[in-house]
Amino acid sequence: MTNKTTGNAGEDLACRYLEKNGYEILERNKHYSRFCEIDIIAKHKNTVVFVEVKTRRTNAYGTPLEAITQTKYENICKGVQYYIAENKVKNYRIDVIGITLKPEMKINHIKNVSFA
């Protein structure tokens, strides 16, 4: 399994997880530049949720959430600003979902993240 197929499988799992928990998927893989891609844009109640998904086959080289760096977060925030300006969004938040596939699948969903 390549990194790309692992990532795509993780995004599919994340979408199913979100839908099962009452989210409506609005868009996937929204690009704003070569540095900025928002993995999932969803709606939960009256809030637009921007979701970064990180998937790892195992935690041998660190957890999926450890792969979200300050720079990655800043790039996501730029994309979020473009999206909320284009779509006149008032209520929004940024979530991250970390998925580990083995030895057993684990999904870790952290809501309303920020780097300080």
Side-chain angles (χ1 to χ4, degrees):
M1 189 180 265
T2 67
N3 287 344
K4 181 139 179 80
T5 57
T6 299
N8 289 339
E11 287 180 17
D12 291 342
L13 288 167
C15 283
R16 286 197 298 275
Y17 164 84
L18 290 168
E19 288 172 331
K20 194 159 99 173
N21 286 283
Y23 291 72
E24 173 191 355
I25 306 303
L26 302 176
E27 294 192 52
R28 285 183 65 175
N29 302 313
K30 179 76 172 171
H31 288 268
Y32 283 99
S33 73
R34 70 183 188 131
F35 298 110
C36 178
E37 175 195 10
I38 299 172
D39 294 331
I40 300 170
I41 302 171
K43 189 167 188 179
H44 187 246
K45 299 180 181 169
N46 67 342
T47 303
V48 173
V49 183
F50 301 93
V51 183
E52 174 65 16
V53 180
K54 286 293 179 190
T55 307
R56 294 286 182 263
R57 289 187 272 290
T58 70
N59 286 336
Y61 298 102
T63 68
L65 297 180
E66 290 173 331
I68 302 173
T69 64
Q70 175 77 30
T71 302
K72 177 67 174 168
Y73 179 77
E74 289 169 359
N75 288 335
I76 293 165
C77 288
K78 289 175 190 170
V80 167
Q81 294 304 316
Y82 286 122
Y83 187 90
I84 63 174
E86 285 176 359
N87 296 281
K88 299 180 178 31
V89 173
K90 293 191 186 333
N91 297 320
Y92 69 93
R93 70 173 195 254
I94 299 172
D95 291 3
V96 295
I97 294 179
I99 300 173
T100 305
L101 300 175
K102 294 179 181 181
E104 61 184 75
M105 189 186 65
K106 181 179 178 189
I107 296 176
N108 187 4
H109 181 188
I110 301 174
K111 299 176 183 176
N112 204 24
V113 299
S114 65
F115 279 69

